[in-house]
Amino acid sequence: MARWTGEWLPGTGSGPGSENRTAPKWPGETFGLPEAGVGSVAGFGSRLLALVIDLVLAGLITTLFVRYDLQDVAAMQTFNWWAGVAWAVITTVPAMFFGFTPGMGAVGVRVARLDGATMVGPWRAVVRMVLTVVIVPALVRNTDGRSWLDRVTGTVVIRMR
């Protein structure tokens, strides 16, 4: 049965020319990744948990520098803006150089480039961060377990342990 993303999201196993291909047996098989364990495609739950950890960490860091008051709308808007900036920094910079954010490190997943390069690099890290803000691209995934973030940047999120 074709997925609803089959015609506009390549790699789903449906669409033009798919009748000659066999569907992958597990996410990441197309790229030569193992079915389970280190180097296999990370699941949605671990990716979501990593995002939540990064968001909480950004909020905690922001409380060190910006006053928050739940009763003051202006103070909370300022706090939220700076928390967003902190989140952008703690998601982009570590991913750029090390391939994972603090939340990803805690959960045991990382971003890997499909071309085999060791560093994710600046433009990929920034594009991933910007698309994560939109949320929808992070939710739509294909049969390889890759979201739009991964497809646009030529990456895949894999397990480190």
Side-chain angles (χ1 to χ4, degrees), residues 56-69:
V56 169
L57 181 61
L60 292 173
I61 290 170
T62 305
T63 60
L64 297 173
F65 302 102
V66 179
R67 178 184 73 85
Y68 70 96
D69 179 4

PDB file of all heavy atoms in Angstrom, residues 56-69:
ATOM      1  N   VAL A  56      14.439  22.262  27.487  1.00  0.00           N
ATOM      2  CA  VAL A  56      14.522  22.464  28.941  1.00  0.00           C
ATOM      3  C   VAL A  56      15.865  23.095  29.299  1.00  0.00           C
ATOM      4  O   VAL A  56      15.926  24.040  30.096  1.00  0.00           O
ATOM      5  CB  VAL A  56      14.302  21.134  29.702  1.00  0.00           C
ATOM      6  CG1 VAL A  56      14.653  21.276  31.169  1.00  0.00           C
ATOM      7  CG2 VAL A  56      12.864  20.670  29.528  1.00  0.00           C
ATOM      8  N   LEU A  57      16.939  22.607  28.708  1.00  0.00           N
ATOM      9  CA  LEU A  57      18.262  23.165  28.958  1.00  0.00           C
ATOM     10  C   LEU A  57      18.331  24.637  28.550  1.00  0.00           C
ATOM     11  O   LEU A  57      18.884  25.469  29.278  1.00  0.00           O
ATOM     12  CB  LEU A  57      19.329  22.360  28.222  1.00  0.00           C
ATOM     13  CG  LEU A  57      20.774  22.814  28.404  1.00  0.00           C
ATOM     14  CD1 LEU A  57      21.173  22.729  29.870  1.00  0.00           C
ATOM     15  CD2 LEU A  57      21.699  21.966  27.544  1.00  0.00           C
ATOM     16  N   ALA A  58      17.740  24.975  27.415  1.00  0.00           N
ATOM     17  CA  ALA A  58      17.711  26.372  26.975  1.00  0.00           C
ATOM     18  C   ALA A  58      16.963  27.246  27.977  1.00  0.00           C
ATOM     19  O   ALA A  58      17.392  28.356  28.293  1.00  0.00           O
ATOM     20  CB  ALA A  58      17.070  26.488  25.593  1.00  0.00           C
ATOM     21  N   GLY A  59      15.853  26.748  28.492  1.00  0.00           N
ATOM     22  CA  GLY A  59      15.094  27.494  29.504  1.00  0.00           C
ATOM     23  C   GLY A  59      15.885  27.677  30.781  1.00  0.00           C
ATOM     24  O   GLY A  59      15.882  28.762  31.381  1.00  0.00           O
ATOM     25  N   LEU A  60      16.591  26.631  31.208  1.00  0.00           N
ATOM     26  CA  LEU A  60      17.400  26.727  32.425  1.00  0.00           C
ATOM     27  C   LEU A  60      18.556  27.711  32.259  1.00  0.00           C
ATOM     28  O   LEU A  60      18.850  28.499  33.165  1.00  0.00           O
ATOM     29  CB  LEU A  60      17.928  25.347  32.819  1.00  0.00           C
ATOM     30  CG  LEU A  60      16.880  24.347  33.295  1.00  0.00           C
ATOM     31  CD1 LEU A  60      17.506  22.968  33.489  1.00  0.00           C
ATOM     32  CD2 LEU A  60      16.209  24.831  34.570  1.00  0.00           C
ATOM     33  N   ILE A  61      19.196  27.669  31.109  1.00  0.00           N
ATOM     34  CA  ILE A  61      20.289  28.618  30.839  1.00  0.00           C
ATOM     35  C   ILE A  61      19.748  30.038  30.829  1.00  0.00           C
ATOM     36  O   ILE A  61      20.370  30.959  31.375  1.00  0.00           O
ATOM     37  CB  ILE A  61      20.996  28.280  29.512  1.00  0.00           C
ATOM     38  CG1 ILE A  61      21.784  26.978  29.669  1.00  0.00           C
ATOM     39  CG2 ILE A  61      21.907  29.410  29.064  1.00  0.00           C
ATOM     40  CD1 ILE A  61      22.330  26.427  28.373  1.00  0.00           C
ATOM     41  N   THR A  62      18.591  30.234  30.234  1.00  0.00           N
ATOM     42  CA  THR A  62      18.002  31.573  30.152  1.00  0.00           C
ATOM     43  C   THR A  62      17.669  32.118  31.534  1.00  0.00           C
ATOM     44  O   THR A  62      17.816  33.313  31.783  1.00  0.00           O
ATOM     45  CB  THR A  62      16.739  31.541  29.268  1.00  0.00           C
ATOM     46  OG1 THR A  62      17.094  30.985  27.995  1.00  0.00           O
ATOM     47  CG2 THR A  62      16.181  32.924  29.053  1.00  0.00           C
ATOM     48  N   THR A  63      17.249  31.259  32.466  1.00  0.00           N
ATOM     49  CA  THR A  63      16.916  31.736  33.818  1.00  0.00           C
ATOM     50  C   THR A  63      18.123  32.306  34.544  1.00  0.00           C
ATOM     51  O   THR A  63      17.966  33.087  35.482  1.00  0.00           O
ATOM     52  CB  THR A  63      16.306  30.622  34.691  1.00  0.00           C
ATOM     53  OG1 THR A  63      17.248  29.560  34.811  1.00  0.00           O
ATOM     54  CG2 THR A  63      15.001  30.123  34.127  1.00  0.00           C
ATOM     55  N   LEU A  64      19.322  31.935  34.112  1.00  0.00           N
ATOM     56  CA  LEU A  64      20.531  32.484  34.731  1.00  0.00           C
ATOM     57  C   LEU A  64      20.759  33.954  34.367  1.00  0.00           C
ATOM     58  O   LEU A  64      21.420  34.679  35.100  1.00  0.00           O
ATOM     59  CB  LEU A  64      21.760  31.670  34.315  1.00  0.00           C
ATOM     60  CG  LEU A  64      21.779  30.208  34.739  1.00  0.00           C
ATOM     61  CD1 LEU A  64      22.982  29.513  34.106  1.00  0.00           C
ATOM     62  CD2 LEU A  64      21.800  30.088  36.250  1.00  0.00           C
ATOM     63  N   PHE A  65      20.205  34.382  33.240  1.00  0.00           N
ATOM     64  CA  PHE A  65      20.506  35.716  32.724  1.00  0.00           C
ATOM     65  C   PHE A  65      19.298  36.640  32.579  1.00  0.00           C
ATOM     66  O   PHE A  65      19.455  37.850  32.529  1.00  0.00           O
ATOM     67  CB  PHE A  65      21.191  35.604  31.355  1.00  0.00           C
ATOM     68  CG  PHE A  65      22.446  34.794  31.401  1.00  0.00           C
ATOM     69  CD1 PHE A  65      22.469  33.488  30.960  1.00  0.00           C
ATOM     70  CD2 PHE A  65      23.619  35.348  31.917  1.00  0.00           C
ATOM     71  CE1 PHE A  65      23.642  32.741  31.007  1.00  0.00           C
ATOM     72  CE2 PHE A  65      24.787  34.604  31.972  1.00  0.00           C
ATOM     73  CZ  PHE A  65      24.804  33.298  31.521  1.00  0.00           C
ATOM     74  N   VAL A  66      18.109  36.070  32.475  1.00  0.00           N
ATOM     75  CA  VAL A  66      16.915  36.881  32.203  1.00  0.00           C
ATOM     76  C   VAL A  66      15.876  36.621  33.290  1.00  0.00           C
ATOM     77  O   VAL A  66      15.599  35.472  33.646  1.00  0.00           O
ATOM     78  CB  VAL A  66      16.325  36.533  30.822  1.00  0.00           C
ATOM     79  CG1 VAL A  66      15.076  37.349  30.543  1.00  0.00           C
ATOM     80  CG2 VAL A  66      17.350  36.746  29.721  1.00  0.00           C
ATOM     81  N   ARG A  67      15.292  37.692  33.792  1.00  0.00           N
ATOM     82  CA  ARG A  67      14.260  37.595  34.812  1.00  0.00           C
ATOM     83  C   ARG A  67      12.973  37.064  34.180  1.00  0.00           C
ATOM     84  O   ARG A  67      12.585  37.463  33.084  1.00  0.00           O
ATOM     85  CB  ARG A  67      14.001  38.989  35.402  1.00  0.00           C
ATOM     86  CG  ARG A  67      12.911  39.031  36.457  1.00  0.00           C
ATOM     87  CD  ARG A  67      12.633  40.450  36.918  1.00  0.00           C
ATOM     88  NE  ARG A  67      11.931  41.248  35.934  1.00  0.00           N
ATOM     89  CZ  ARG A  67      10.601  41.256  35.783  1.00  0.00           C
ATOM     90  NH1 ARG A  67       9.845  40.519  36.545  1.00  0.00           N
ATOM     91  NH2 ARG A  67      10.045  42.018  34.866  1.00  0.00           N
ATOM     92  N   TYR A  68      12.340  36.169  34.879  1.00  0.00           N
ATOM     93  CA  TYR A  68      11.032  35.715  34.407  1.00  0.00           C
ATOM     94  C   TYR A  68      10.010  35.932  35.507  1.00  0.00           C
ATOM     95  O   TYR A  68      10.306  35.837  36.692  1.00  0.00           O
ATOM     96  CB  TYR A  68      11.059  34.249  33.961  1.00  0.00           C
ATOM     97  CG  TYR A  68      11.232  33.252  35.080  1.00  0.00           C
ATOM     98  CD1 TYR A  68      10.123  32.643  35.650  1.00  0.00           C
ATOM     99  CD2 TYR A  68      12.485  32.932  35.553  1.00  0.00           C
ATOM    100  CE1 TYR A  68      10.274  31.730  36.673  1.00  0.00           C
ATOM    101  CE2 TYR A  68      12.641  32.010  36.577  1.00  0.00           C
ATOM    102  CZ  TYR A  68      11.541  31.419  37.129  1.00  0.00           C
ATOM    103  OH  TYR A  68      11.681  30.520  38.146  1.00  0.00           O
ATOM    104  N   ASP A  69       8.820  36.271  35.090  1.00  0.00           N
ATOM    105  CA  ASP A  69       7.720  36.512  36.015  1.00  0.00           C
ATOM    106  C   ASP A  69       6.452  36.069  35.296  1.00  0.00           C
ATOM    107  O   ASP A  69       6.042  36.699  34.312  1.00  0.00           O
ATOM    108  CB  ASP A  69       7.656  37.996  36.389  1.00  0.00           C
ATOM    109  CG  ASP A  69       6.515  38.319  37.339  1.00  0.00           C
ATOM    110  OD1 ASP A  69       5.811  37.385  37.786  1.00  0.00           O
ATOM    111  OD2 ASP A  69       6.326  39.514  37.623  1.00  0.00           O
TER     112      ASP A  69
END
